[in-house]
Amino acid sequence: AQSVTQPDIHITVSEGASLELRCNYSYGATPYLFWYVQSPGQGLQLLLKYFSGDTLVQGIKGFEAEFKRSQSSFNLRKPSVHWSDAAEYFCAVVLSGSARQLTFGSGTQLTVLP
Amino acid sequence: SQTIHQWPATLVQPVGSPLSLECTVEGTSNPNLYWYRQAAGRGLQLLFYSVGIGQISSEVPQNLSASRPQDRQFILSSKKLLLSDSGFYLCAWTRGGNQPQHFGDGTRLSIL
């Protein structure tokens, strides 16, 4: 069965520091991969997506992610974190099938220190 | 452009009362629609999805049901709420294919 693992439940970084959030997937074929961000009490906002092609994808708010097939990973990065980036981040994989159901990781809570 | 609306934003209900949460999408036709629940500190659990009017697939057997009476309307219901139904409910839509899902702002449901 397909699964998505975000090994870090909570990460704390200082403002201006670099950030990397980890995501590993278990999937039998080339997946469609997504990163979403959720601010408290809000819905999920799409940061970026990977379907095929260039393995380094750029997203909104200065985020990028790199697909590494050999490691079954799709880690999210940002070179310099802003206080407004504090939120919960979810990695997701499309489940095969006509309804294109998303399988979500359990999320990583990001705290940004001033 | 497409938009998705969920209401109400917050809801406090007593145990045993009925529930109706509504989600509508504007600016597109024949979307795939989804209901998720997010418990505190947990990830998202897919509850129901629909690929067309009157077509509902249930992912998790439970106290809830879903209906799609119109193309862009998706309703989550319960006849008698349980304490365990508390959580944050999110509606989402997608055009299908490899397009990403887009989420509403969610409904915070508290059961007393």
Side-chain angles (χ1 to χ4, degrees):
Chain A
Q2 294 82 357
S3 65
V4 180
T5 302
Q6 292 180 249
D8 304 306
I9 297 174
H10 196 172
I11 283 183
T12 299
V13 299
S14 297
E15 190 169 17
S18 63
L19 172 70
E20 182 169 30
L21 303 182
R22 295 184 291 166
C23 173
N24 294 96
Y25 64 90
S26 170
Y27 199 70
T30 301
Y32 297 140
L33 295 155
F34 306 86
W35 273 100
Y36 286 86
V37 60
Q38 184 181 32
S39 297
Q42 300 294 314
L44 277 70
Q45 181 183 22
L46 179 69
L47 285 175
L48 46 78
K49 60 187 178 184
Y50 171 78
F51 295 155
S52 64
D54 192 348
T55 56
L56 184 64
V57 293
Q58 302 297 319
I60 62 171
K61 304 184 178 185
F63 285 92
E64 66 178 25
E66 186 171 13
F67 170 61
K68 293 186 177 180
R69 185 189 304 276
S70 61
Q71 299 177 20
S72 298
S73 69
F74 188 56
N75 294 348
L76 182 71
R77 302 195 294 247
K78 187 169 184 177
S80 178
V81 172
H82 189 263
W83 65 266
S84 61
D85 293 324
E88 188 152 24
Y89 292 79
F90 292 93
C91 182
V93 174
V94 165
L95 195 67
S96 62
S98 61
R100 295 292 181 181
Q101 300 169 54
L102 283 174
T103 299
F104 283 89
S106 54
T108 297
Q109 182 69 47
L110 174 66
T111 297
V112 180
L113 300 177
Chain B
S1 64
Q2 299 82 24
T3 56
I4 179 169
H5 303 281
Q6 274 188 252
W7 66 92
T10 60
L11 188 61
V12 180
Q13 292 283 98
V15 169
S17 64
L19 172 73
S20 180
L21 303 181
E22 189 161 343
C23 172
T24 59
V25 179
E26 296 177 358
T28 189
S29 60
N30 196 30
N32 290 348
L33 296 170
Y34 306 83
W35 277 112
Y36 292 89
R37 177 168 58 202
Q38 186 178 30
R42 304 282 298 276
L44 281 82
Q45 177 188 35
L46 179 64
L47 301 176
F48 301 95
Y49 68 92
S50 172
V51 298
I53 296 174
Q55 301 179 58
I56 308 295
S57 296
S58 174
E59 289 296 301
V60 182
Q62 58 207 321
N63 185 43
L64 302 169
S65 62
S67 61
R68 186 170 177 173
Q70 300 180 44
D71 181 44
R72 292 169 291 173
Q73 184 184 32
F74 205 25
I75 297 172
L76 184 69
S77 304
S78 174
K79 293 182 179 179
K80 294 180 71 174
L81 285 166
L82 307 172
L83 283 174
S84 58
D85 292 323
S86 292
F88 191 52
Y89 288 82
L90 289 158
C91 181
W93 75 273
T94 180
R95 286 194 183 93
N98 59 7
Q99 297 304 307
Q101 292 185 16
H102 302 278
F103 287 79
D105 289 334
T107 295
R108 174 73 59 192
L109 176 63
S110 299
I111 309 300
L112 303 178

